[in-house]
Amino acid sequence: MKSVDAHLADILATVRPLAPLELELERALGTTLAEEVSAPLPLPPFDNSAMDGYAVRAEDIAEVPVTLPVIDDVAAGSDELRAVGPGHAVRIMTGAPVPAGADTVVPVEWTDGGTASVRIERTAAPGNAIRRAGEDVQAGELVLAPGTVIGPAQLGIIAGVGRRRVRVRPRPRVVVLATGAELVEPGLPLGPGQIWDSNSFTLTAAVREAGAEGFRADTVGDDPAVFLDQLDAQLVRADAVITSGGVSMGAYEPVKEALGPLGTVRFEKVAMQPGMPQGFGVVGEDQVPIFALPGNPVSSYVSFMLFVRPALRKMCGLPAGPPETQTAHVIGALRSPQGRRSFLRGTLASDGTVSPVRGQGSHQLAALASANALIVVPEDVTEVPSGTAVEVIRL
Ligand code: AMP
Ligand code: MG
């Protein structure tokens, strides 16, 4: 059997970061920056007031209280400014440019708020409540480096330096295609021998949570030809494809039967539990990566976390490797098959303990839904006594 690490290494050696493209800012959330973004101007671009108040010369308010005539009113966005002469005050709003001559701003709270003249009760040192040009960023300074994931604040600074478009690696478009003659669309009645399709919902959601775009394709049955048609139709919009089901050792395994003969997708046994049967390779003219995951709900989700998620990160242009683990102390004894790495479902508590959930079968979706972590038991370990330190992957 192939090791989990070797399988991930093969996948990461095959998938490539998506080619960069220019996107409108509105579409750039969640993408990875593929250029350096610098400020063409200093930010703020000009000295401006940090508060609503009065711009004055500090020397005129050395002795307080003092009353000064108010010679002008400057709002944010004002461009006609009268200089502040000795003994004068200008009423100023937050964000408005500080007029020439003034070297300090007295907050309105320290005054009587007058409009013709103002009585100032407290003195202010030079520079008070003034935001200096370039205090945030100097002209030419780098504000974001390539490889940065663009979140709301990163979008903000790109807009804040005046950019409308940005060069990024886009979010991978991932088609999720579930197979199985027994599958019924949730919301429709079940016939004998049927179950509701859950994997395609889990996997599409997992794709989105990983920062990619997930598309849930219509489920297909167990006919390899129908599967291939659907795959063909979906490939036009896919940077990657995830299938579920149809990769085991039984009969009626449409994914394996359809893709095996192509020679570009390998079906292997990976030394793990759950999730032993795994398929991976490329399909179509564009060599689109395809992850053929097993059908059992827990197996497919665990496989996603171990193999697909890192691959999606690589496609985004981000550092990619095995899922991060943390150490926890297990409450209760664990068992694991010899020679396979187990990923048991558990609940990780804030005190650093982890307890296996009841129901460790790979079909036990409710148990998975009650868990928040996978407890990793190495290949050569078959019994883990209660209290042992284990590695866990947060879900
Ligand atoms: P397979 O890998 O196709 O042999 O399926 C293994 C098990 O997972 C079977 O019990 C299937 O009924 C179940 N299964 C397959 N696909 C799905 C799905 N999309 N949603 C829920 N269960 C599934
Ligand atoms: Mg099946």
Side-chain angles (χ1 to χ4, degrees):
M1 267 194 282
K2 189 182 186 186
S3 73
V4 170
D5 299 333
H7 192 58
L8 176 60
D10 280 353
I11 289 170
L12 291 180
T14 303
V15 301
R16 308 245 165 280
L18 297 184
L21 49 81
E22 288 259 320
L23 283 188
E24 289 285 327
L25 279 196
E26 284 87 341
R27 296 186 52 210
L29 180 67
T31 62
T32 311
L33 192 60
E35 62 167 320
E36 294 190 336
V37 174
S38 334
L41 304 171
L43 290 185
F46 48 87
D47 290 359
N48 67 93
S49 180
M51 304 195 72
D52 297 327
Y54 297 85
V56 297
R57 294 169 176 252
E59 64 200 31
D60 291 338
I61 59 164
E63 310 267 303
V64 283
V66 62
T67 299
L68 303 176
V70 176
I71 59 149
D72 199 8
D73 216 37
V74 246
S78 293
D79 60 351
E80 284 175 17
L81 303 178
R82 282 176 65 186
V84 176
H88 289 167
V90 159
R91 195 161 158 249
I92 193 166
M93 308 307 150
T94 304
V98 175
D103 61 1
T104 191
V105 169
V106 183
V108 67
E109 292 82 357
W110 300 358
T111 74
D112 66 356
T115 51
S117 66
V118 59
R119 182 181 153 93
I120 295 171
E121 316 279 354
R122 268 177 72 177
T123 187
N128 187 64
I130 295 176
R131 308 192 281 212
R132 296 293 177 194
E135 210 171 73
D136 190 12
V137 187
Q138 300 285 323
E141 195 179 327
L142 181 77
V143 294
L144 293 175
T148 306
V149 177
I150 300 179
Q154 289 69 37
L155 268 183
I157 186 62
I158 298 168
V161 299
R163 297 280 302 273
R164 183 80 223 183
R165 296 166 71 81
V166 66
R167 196 167 171 76
V168 298
R169 291 191 195 276
R171 305 191 321 151
R173 297 162 303 166
V174 183
V175 168
V176 174
L177 173 50
T179 69
E182 72 281 31
L183 301 179
V184 173
E185 196 70 10
L188 297 179
L190 283 187
Q194 297 184 324
I195 59 169
W196 284 297
D197 162 38
S198 60
N199 289 352
S200 65
F201 290 91
T202 303
L203 293 170
T204 307
V207 164
R208 292 181 184 152
E209 204 173 59
E213 287 181 37
F215 300 97
R216 183 180 166 263
D218 284 342
T219 299
V220 296
D222 283 337
D223 181 339
V226 175
F227 167 76
L228 271 186
D229 280 350
Q230 172 68 312
L231 180 61
D232 222 39
Q234 295 295 327
L235 273 181
V236 292
R237 63 168 175 180
D239 298 311
V241 175
I242 303 173
T243 64
S244 104
V247 297
S248 324
M249 309 311 294
Y252 312 108
E253 306 287 11
V255 178
K256 202 175 186 177
E257 287 166 33
L259 300 181
L262 299 182
T264 56
V265 183
R266 283 169 68 177
F267 291 89
E268 299 174 279
K269 285 187 178 176
V270 176
M272 59 191 282
Q273 188 178 60
M276 183 174 63
Q278 297 285 339
F280 173 75
V282 294
V283 282
E285 246 169 65
D286 297 334
Q287 310 241 301
V288 174
I290 185 164
F291 301 85
L293 308 184
N296 273 308
V298 181
S299 309
S300 68
Y301 184 51
V302 169
S303 303
F304 178 91
M305 293 298 292
L306 294 182
F307 305 125
V308 187
R309 200 169 204 280
L312 294 181
R313 280 184 62 84
K314 178 154 183 200
M315 293 174 80
C316 290
L318 299 172
E324 271 181 37
T325 61
Q326 64 185 81
T327 305
H329 286 87
V330 67
I331 298 182
L334 306 176
R335 289 172 162 277
S336 167
Q338 170 64 39
R340 287 163 72 178
R341 195 179 298 176
S342 286
F343 299 92
L344 300 164
R345 280 65 68 202
T347 45
L348 182 64
S350 52
D351 65 359
T353 61
V354 65
S355 316
V357 301
R358 195 194 306 258
Q360 293 287 341
S362 58
H363 60 296
Q364 285 174 302
L365 187 53
L368 175 66
S370 73
N372 64 2
L374 297 174
I375 308 170
V376 185
V377 183
E379 288 78 348
D380 53 354
V381 176
T382 53
E383 305 214 347
V384 180
S386 187
T388 308
V390 290
E391 291 302 300
V392 302
I393 299 167
R394 277 173 177 278
L395 294 178

